[in-house]
Amino acid sequence: MSHLIPAGPSQDAPATADRLGFGVPGYAHPLVAPTEWAELTRPGTPLHWAVLNVSRGPGTSRDPHCLTAASRLRATGVRVLGHLDLRCGTRPFGELISDANHFLDWYQVDGFCLDRCPVDRPGLPDVRRTVATLRALLGGAYLVLGQGIHPHEGYMELADQLVTFRGSWADYRWSQVAEWTAGYPPERFCHQVHGVPRRHLEEALRIARWQGAGTIYFTDRTAHPEGRTCADAPWKALPGYWDEIVSRLGPRVME
């Protein structure tokens, strides 16, 4: 059955702990966030993938600064994923594939993150069509579905990984996992949590491990900077405890 993760004392973590690494939702433009992009190439950073989002997608033309940032990451063996916004299933198919082709032509991405992906059973056929086309465009494409919640289990057959939690620490610390997730290994799931205080970092990592996530992104930044609500705000810059969380997860194991 689904289980509630307590916020109590530390427990023994399962053997999947050593596979925990980062999935970066996509920082601000490299000119605005040069430190962030440079940190991703630091040797030993346990980075599974990073999203490239030039301008709500690939932009209107090749951006040399984004190309440089993506090339440096790929040179270290990190997957770079192009950001495709499915708009909860309302985005025209032709637009999506056009954006995908631009990501491939301009930035040589290794796959795609399908943000705001549908979550229910009726949305499966359209997402299946999109995924099949993306895999035809790029053999071996790594695909992440960015639902942010637990979708219908049928989506598991379509992608390499699902983002099954994206939200605040206040919600994450009492979150539950869907029963069907127990049948899949941790590398199939990613959690992205904002507003995680430094003092609760170990607790957050423990929750991720016990809920079976192999990829995470935790930050102390919030969606309400200076009192304004901005959904992208938590992900545009490094967390204040970046060095600490990198050291906690340890060096990346190259596969």
Side-chain angles (χ1 to χ4, degrees), residues 49-101:
W49 47 262
V51 174
L52 180 65
N53 187 359
V54 180
S55 180
R56 299 185 182 277
T60 57
S61 62
R62 180 187 283 112
D63 184 313
H65 304 288
C66 291
L67 176 60
T68 297
S71 298
R72 286 174 176 168
L73 271 180
R74 297 185 72 246
T76 67
V78 174
R79 295 186 184 97
V80 177
L81 309 181
H83 178 273
L84 298 177
D85 186 354
L86 270 61
R87 297 178 192 161
C88 302
T90 65
R91 184 89 183 275
F93 176 77
E95 286 186 11
L96 285 169
I97 302 308
S98 176
D99 277 1
N101 275 308

Side-chain angles (χ1 to χ4, degrees), residues 86-151:
L86 270 61
R87 297 178 192 161
C88 302
T90 65
R91 184 89 183 275
F93 176 77
E95 286 186 11
L96 285 169
I97 302 308
S98 176
D99 277 1
N101 275 308
H102 286 148
F103 269 121
L104 291 170
D105 292 343
W106 297 341
Y107 305 109
Q108 294 80 54
V109 296
D110 304 291
F112 302 94
C113 178
L114 280 61
D115 201 15
R116 294 200 289 178
C117 183
V119 300
D120 55 7
R121 189 184 186 107
L124 275 167
D126 284 345
V127 177
R128 183 178 290 111
R129 176 193 182 197
T130 299
V131 164
T133 304
L134 294 176
R135 293 200 188 279
L137 289 174
L138 177 62
Y142 192 85
L143 300 180
V144 175
L145 302 186
Q147 284 110 339
I149 62 173
H150 289 92

Side-chain angles (χ1 to χ4, degrees), residues 7-239:
S10 176
Q11 306 172 56
D12 292 333
T16 58
D18 60 348
R19 285 181 282 181
L20 207 58
F22 299 114
V24 177
Y27 291 132
H29 191 279
L31 284 179
V32 179
T35 300
E36 281 75 4
W37 286 98
E39 277 295 311
L40 296 185
T41 62
R42 184 202 296 186
T45 302
L47 184 59
H48 294 166
W49 47 262
V51 174
L52 180 65
N53 187 359
V54 180
S55 180
R56 299 185 182 277
T60 57
S61 62
R62 180 187 283 112
D63 184 313
H65 304 288
C66 291
L67 176 60
T68 297
S71 298
R72 286 174 176 168
L73 271 180
R74 297 185 72 246
T76 67
V78 174
R79 295 186 184 97
V80 177
L81 309 181
H83 178 273
L84 298 177
D85 186 354
L86 270 61
R87 297 178 192 161
C88 302
T90 65
R91 184 89 183 275
F93 176 77
E95 286 186 11
L96 285 169
I97 302 308
S98 176
D99 277 1
N101 275 308
H102 286 148
F103 269 121
L104 291 170
D105 292 343
W106 297 341
Y107 305 109
Q108 294 80 54
V109 296
D110 304 291
F112 302 94
C113 178
L114 280 61
D115 201 15
R116 294 200 289 178
C117 183
V119 300
D120 55 7
R121 189 184 186 107
L124 275 167
D126 284 345
V127 177
R128 183 178 290 111
R129 176 193 182 197
T130 299
V131 164
T133 304
L134 294 176
R135 293 200 188 279
L137 289 174
L138 177 62
Y142 192 85
L143 300 180
V144 175
L145 302 186
Q147 284 110 339
I149 62 173
H150 289 92
H152 184 279
E153 187 178 358
Y155 287 93
M156 286 300 297
E157 70 180 63
L158 305 183
D160 297 282
Q161 193 173 68
L162 305 185
V163 179
T164 52
F165 186 94
R166 182 189 294 126
S168 70
W169 167 241
D171 292 331
Y172 188 61
R173 69 185 312 191
W174 301 112
S175 62
Q176 293 179 309
V177 292
E179 183 177 357
W180 58 261
T181 63
Y184 300 89
E187 56 264 29
R188 302 298 303 279
F189 301 104
C190 173
H191 294 170
Q192 299 169 345
V193 190
H194 59 75
V196 182
R198 182 188 298 269
R199 66 183 182 277
H200 290 298
L201 187 55
E202 185 57 40
E203 180 185 343
L205 291 171
R206 187 168 68 248
I207 291 172
R209 287 164 174 152
W210 277 97
Q211 288 197 356
T215 303
I216 58 100
Y217 190 82
F218 295 159
T219 180
D220 50 354
R221 300 182 182 276
T222 73
H224 308 284
E226 301 177 355
R228 296 175 291 105
T229 299
C230 177
D232 294 336
W235 322 118
K236 290 185 175 181
L238 286 171

